[in-house]
Amino acid sequence: MSIPRIEMRSEAITGNRLICELKEEPINLFFSLADYRNSYFTSNDQNKIMEFYEGVQDSEELIEWMRERPKGVSYVHEVEGDKEIVVVITTADFDGKYAKECRDNIFKGLHLIFVESGGRGDFYFNIAHNINVGIKKAMEYNPRWVVFSNDDMVKQDEISVLQEALKNYDPSKTGIAYFYPSTSYHSREMNISTIRKTRSIVNPLLLYSRRKAFDILKKFNTKFVLSGGSIRDLLFYKRVLTFRNTIAIAVYSAEMIKEFISRYGCFFDETYINSGEDGDLALRVQKAGWEKGEVNFRIRPLIGGTFGNSDSRYLRDQAGNIYFSKKREEEEHDF
């Protein structure tokens, strides 16, 4: 039995940011567990998130689901400015207080590209995808530098400080300029680590989310994890490699972006679901051979201002750890 052609027109649907633009082309109807599983994965109920992981057989099935999962919506809004440095900002609300602060105060004067998601109701939001959408648009202007920033930032220095600092670097040689002074949420040292036996011993004494996160990692035979440098991390994890992670804000040379897109197909790996994509890219940057710079530009992130820092988010983040580990194993550690 043949599947009939279905005609869809985007102009028939208006007034909802969660609706993606539809194209007039034939589509194949299919049934998938992606949406069913996503409702559990994005739940604020930790038990439902655990049901999601329990319903996945192994890491291969998990990663296949992560790749199959739709990417959510991405609406581009531009604010005109100097295009030598183009700033890409992901936001849940272009008219919200965070985005307004970015365009009216923090990055005023530079060309800004906001990539707006569907907000808190966008259960398929993928930050790596939205950053890539913004970077693709930014590259159309042939900038020297592209800044990526979360929208939940607090101004400290004038943007002219960043502009002057970048004049000290040649973007054909320097691939990244880290922001200094570093904070716990940008230009931060992180580790690729293996799990110590002490983690298993102490696990029964930890909070529910921490116990269950370890259960997830064990189920999927996770060899490597991303860890910090706290006493707890040093107790639980054995460091294999230290690298510098940009996290909330970074500045990349357009030339390095071109090279990475040519080599990998995109800048950020969109398989990650809002966790691990920054560490993955930071590791590739460290290995790439480009010179690294440092700019004394002070800016403060509001940690979790948009995403929040709930225990539910911590459990969801383990999917990123599992994928990160499998990539390192498949690439013979890649370090």
Side-chain angles (χ1 to χ4, degrees):
M1 178 179 177
S2 62
I3 297 175
R5 177 187 174 93
I6 298 177
E7 297 287 346
M8 292 185 170
R9 297 182 181 276
S10 60
E11 59 264 30
I13 304 173
T14 58
N16 191 333
R17 283 199 293 134
L18 296 179
I19 300 298
C20 301
E21 181 181 357
L22 300 176
K23 298 181 179 180
E24 295 186 52
E25 55 187 36
I27 61 172
N28 291 323
L29 297 177
F30 65 94
F31 295 95
S32 171
L33 287 173
D35 188 63
Y36 174 78
R37 283 177 165 168
N38 193 66
S39 67
Y40 279 74
F41 182 78
T42 58
S43 173
N44 287 321
D45 183 337
Q46 295 180 63
N47 292 318
K48 287 189 178 295
I49 299 172
M50 288 306 301
E51 285 185 51
F52 162 82
Y53 285 111
E54 290 162 4
V56 179
Q57 183 174 350
D58 52 32
S59 59
E60 287 73 22
E61 185 177 332
L62 174 65
I63 294 168
E64 180 181 0
W65 174 80
M66 291 168 71
R67 288 175 174 151
E68 179 189 55
R69 183 179 181 269
K71 305 303 181 187
V73 298
S74 50
Y75 297 101
V76 174
H77 304 269
E78 298 190 52
V79 178
E80 286 295 322
D82 185 343
K83 296 179 177 64
E84 183 170 293
I85 304 170
V86 177
V87 184
V88 174
I89 303 168
T90 53
T91 184
D93 184 1
F94 178 68
D95 294 316
K97 63 179 182 179
Y98 295 139
K100 286 181 179 178
E101 176 67 7
C102 285
R103 63 177 177 266
D104 294 342
N105 199 9
I106 300 174
F107 300 111
K108 187 176 182 180
L110 300 184
H111 192 82
L112 309 182
I113 297 174
F114 288 89
V115 185
E116 182 184 37
S117 70
R120 292 190 178 274
D122 186 355
F123 296 112
Y124 283 111
F125 171 66
N126 182 297
I127 193 170
H129 172 73
N130 283 18
I131 299 170
N132 285 341
V133 168
I135 285 176
K136 181 180 179 181
K137 186 65 180 178
M139 296 299 285
E140 294 178 8
Y141 298 111
N142 296 314
R144 288 169 59 83
W145 303 96
V146 175
V147 173
F148 161 68
S149 177
N150 289 347
D151 65 348
D152 50 345
M153 309 296 283
V154 176
K155 179 178 179 179
Q156 291 180 286
D157 283 336
E158 296 296 329
I159 196 62
S160 59
V161 173
L162 176 62
Q163 291 173 298
E164 288 300 313
L166 286 176
K167 290 179 181 179
N168 295 318
Y169 297 104
D170 180 350
S172 68
K173 297 178 181 178
T174 302
I176 185 171
Y178 295 103
F179 285 79
Y180 178 83
S182 63
T183 74
S184 62
Y185 223 57
H186 72 68
S187 299
R188 169 191 173 189
E189 282 197 346
M190 293 190 68
N191 302 315
I192 299 174
S193 303
T194 55
I195 302 173
R196 294 183 187 271
K197 290 182 180 179
T198 50
R199 182 67 174 84
S200 179
I201 295 170
V202 176
N203 197 57
L205 305 176
L206 300 179
L207 295 174
Y208 178 87
S209 61
R210 267 53 184 175
R211 297 199 314 270
K212 291 302 181 181
F214 182 59
D215 292 342
I216 293 167
L217 297 178
K218 281 204 307 182
K219 172 180 177 174
F220 292 99
N221 299 313
T222 309
K223 184 174 182 180
F224 300 107
V225 296
L226 291 166
S227 67
S230 68
I231 294 176
R232 184 184 63 186
D233 284 334
L234 295 175
L235 176 66
F236 290 164
Y237 306 110
K238 181 180 179 180
R239 182 175 58 200
V240 176
L241 176 75
T242 298
F243 67 98
R244 200 168 183 181
N245 196 0
T246 55
I247 311 181
I249 187 168
V251 55
Y252 306 103
S253 79
E255 293 302 315
M256 190 183 76
I257 290 174
K258 290 176 187 175
E259 180 189 297
F260 275 39
I261 292 175
S262 175
R263 182 186 303 178
Y264 302 109
C266 56
F267 197 54
F268 280 85
D269 186 337
E270 297 182 11
T271 300
Y272 290 98
I273 304 175
N274 309 323
S275 173
E277 70 288 326
D278 51 358
D280 183 276
L281 176 61
L283 181 61
R284 284 186 278 131
V285 168
Q286 179 160 305
K287 293 176 69 281
W290 286 77
E291 294 178 10
K292 281 80 174 174
E294 199 168 67
V295 291
N296 190 353
F297 177 72
R298 294 175 303 161
I299 188 169
R300 181 168 63 85
L302 289 170
I303 301 173
T306 298
F307 273 126
N309 288 297
S310 67
D311 290 335
S312 297
R313 179 182 176 183
Y314 182 74
L315 291 179
R316 284 191 290 271
D317 286 351
Q318 303 316 308
N321 260 326
I322 294 163
Y323 178 52
F324 182 88
S325 180
K326 292 303 175 184
K327 283 189 72 172
R328 306 287 79 79
E329 293 178 59
E330 290 172 3
E331 297 167 6
E332 296 182 346
H333 299 183
D334 199 29
F335 48 83

